[in-house]
Amino acid sequence: MKVLVVGSGGREHAVIRKLKENTEITEIICAPGNGGIAADARCVNVGATDLEGMLKLALEEQVDFCVVTPDDPLALGMVDMLEKHGIACFGPTHDAAVIEASKVFSKNLMKAYGIPTAAYEVFDKPEEAMKYIRYRNSYPAVIKADGLALGKGVLIAADEKEAEAAVQEIMVDQAFGASGNRVVVEEFMTGPEVSVLAFTDGNVIRPMISSMDHKRALDNDEGLNTGGMGTIAPSPYFTAEIADTCMKEIFEPTMQAMNAEGRTFKGCLYFGLMLTPKGPRVVEYNCRFGDPETQVVLPLLKSDLFTIMKACHDGTLADVEIEWSKQAAACVIEASGGYPQKYVKGYEIHGLDENGQHEGVTVFHAGTKLVDGKYLTNGGRVLGITSVADTLGEALDNSYAAVKEIGFQDMHYRTDIGRKLR
Ligand code: AMP
Ligand code: GLY
């Protein structure tokens, strides 16, 4: 079995590490991959959104199975294209990926099928969005660009002035391009946030172990929103009782709703949840594994990932046992100074061995490249330093001990990942 993994982040590295445990797989190719992934897979320089290039690669290499991991190629229909040419994939089709690619679609889906989420309205004219925000006169106001925006399309306005600036940025200045042609204005919710990734084949849905991301750039949840600065799993907030409620009110109904819409979702469906005083609510759906959530969730998977992925494709997930470790995992992201805004690339990373690893932890590579045997920084989020241990405290201590030994110029990381949960 030859497997192609599309993408280049820490999430893809975590997927590849897990796939490597399968003995049926003879080779893993990653496109485009990165410096550290190259120690675990053969990296080929085809961009993740290059549909034609990816098809050509998959056909030339005669791959048996393709894992399409990032949102953009999924939203562009990479799975449809590969499957049309007989290549089995893990990941949703274009029509199912819309659950992430359009917030207007996902909000309307939730409303139509009674899935709990924040109350909202949709606008395609900036003046009407502002008229509504003024009329509601309730702050913070949450303003979201409809389309994909690298996780930055959600603005939370503390007052009318900030709301005006947010509407201006998204709809008029088009900071996120056409993604801001429409906005969702929604109710502000409070409560702990939990990420639940779930495997589904459209017949059954199997939640993975829960996790918690830390999205803001700075300690104490200050600073700008990022792709995620660190994660822990499982989330102590996600009790068995809440899991039950979510299964009945959110996970199953979402899978059924997509079926009813003729958009059967196969792959990994990500539920961004907020545990509000009124019960769990959906903040967002993603049509893929979360990053860095995957970097703590997959290391706790005891079953074979490839078997599960094939079952999601084949529609036989009901027959597969999925077992999770009772341990805990922590991931601390080492980012380039300045991320999520401007940052410099190309600094040498110290503290890694020739395989890009470090004793006692697993180093998932995101923005790195390997040049003349040296690992260099090559992106905003550079490394995910992950540990698994019997307790969350121990996992955090291990990861933070390694963070002190692995680094580069201007490195930035949060010192409080999981601190409140230890
Ligand atoms: P999203 O990209 O939709 O996950 O939003 C990014 C972050 O904004 C979420 O992780 C939340 O912390 C916050 N957020 C989004 N929607 C709401 C809401 N309705 N109320 C409060 N916070 C929100
Ligand atoms: N960590 C959040 C995401 O993957 O969207």
Side-chain angles (χ1 to χ4, degrees), residues 96-144:
V98 71
I99 198 165
E100 171 171 5
S102 169
K103 290 209 191 286
V104 173
F105 171 85
S106 68
K107 295 296 292 191
N108 289 345
L109 184 85
M110 288 185 266
K111 189 188 265 179
Y113 293 88
I115 298 163
T117 188
Y120 72 101
E121 293 291 335
V122 177
F123 300 94
D124 59 9
K125 295 198 178 61
E127 4 9 300
E128 280 172 14
M130 269 323 294
K131 204 164 127 193
Y132 174 72
I133 292 167
R134 284 195 197 98
Y135 161 76
R136 267 190 86 229
N137 193 29
S138 166
Y139 298 96
V142 182
I143 302 151
K144 301 185 170 185

Side-chain angles (χ1 to χ4, degrees), residues 222-239:
E222 287 173 9
L224 294 170
N225 252 324
T226 70
M229 293 297 294
T231 37
I232 60 97
S235 163
Y237 293 112
F238 197 71
T239 59

